[in-house]
Amino acid sequence: VPTTKLFIDGKFVESNTSEWIDIHNPATNEVVGRVPKATQEEMLAAVNSCSRAFSSWSETSILSRQQIFLRYQQLIKDNIKELAKMITLEQGKTLADAEGDVFRGLQVVEHACSITSLMLGETLPSITKDMDTYTYRLPLGVCAGIAPFNFPAMIPLWMFPIGMVCGNTYLMKPSERVPGCTMLLAKMLQDSGAPDGTLNIIHGQHAAVNFICDHPAIKAVSFVGSNQAGEYIYERGSKNGKRVQSNMVCNSTTTQPQTHKRVQSNMVFWRRFATAGDRTTAPSTVRLLQDGVAGA
């Protein structure tokens, strides 16, 4: 059974851990890989690599960073089918649905290529006598992302491309259930010219999440997933002075009486069962409004 590597300081390295998690193909329940629970030393090596790379990466010209992501978006386009096959193998979506997953992430990478205008600051002259104000957009430092299993390409691509093109370095923790796509995306980013250490990838579960929430070098955390995990990460990370954004579940649907029943049923079915039933917006409850009275 193949093992998933860590990505530390520009190298794909085998973990020294004694704890491994099986990756199953949902279609057959076959074990198709194993992912490590990274050791404390490996996680420290990853965040230290991010810290070392930050000083030079943040001083790299914005046009140079933009050029890397222009090449990156083309590599993703050229390999969209390979990425989709990995998603289908590990997560269970149809190939068409998996390609849509990659495409939605690609749109964010394309947006990152417009960074030259997004990073513009502001000036306000003569705010008072002999005083002008200037606003600059500056990178924070090391940022981290914790991604869920339902969108193995889209959600990691929400996170590290925007953070990195702004001059931050990034520590990524993909879901331990679907790590393969993120590892392919890391290889493509390296092939696009991203310097070693600007992106590092660790694997694991609770210990890895706690490490990200607690390590003082990590200045900001982005999370997508369940309410329980999101509330925990927001509370723990915020207590340690980090900027935390937690994107959590919205799981109810309300239909209006004037909506045609076929439209209602299609909408409910699509939200509940699309993307292998693993959409964040998949409803557990449907409220039917009839004559101003709600029923479930």
Side-chain angles (χ1 to χ4, degrees), residues 237-259:
S238 297
K239 282 183 178 179
N240 288 316
K242 303 181 192 301
R243 302 184 186 189
V244 182
Q245 61 173 10
S246 280
N247 300 281
M248 297 179 287
V249 175
C250 170
N251 60 357
S252 66
T253 296
T254 301
T255 68
Q256 300 293 333
Q258 61 268 31
T259 306

Side-chain angles (χ1 to χ4, degrees), residues 264-282:
Q264 289 183 2
S265 61
N266 286 345
M267 180 266 294
V268 171
F269 181 86
W270 176 253
R271 287 192 64 198
R272 182 67 188 90
F273 296 107
T275 62
D278 292 325
R279 295 180 67 153
T280 310
T281 55

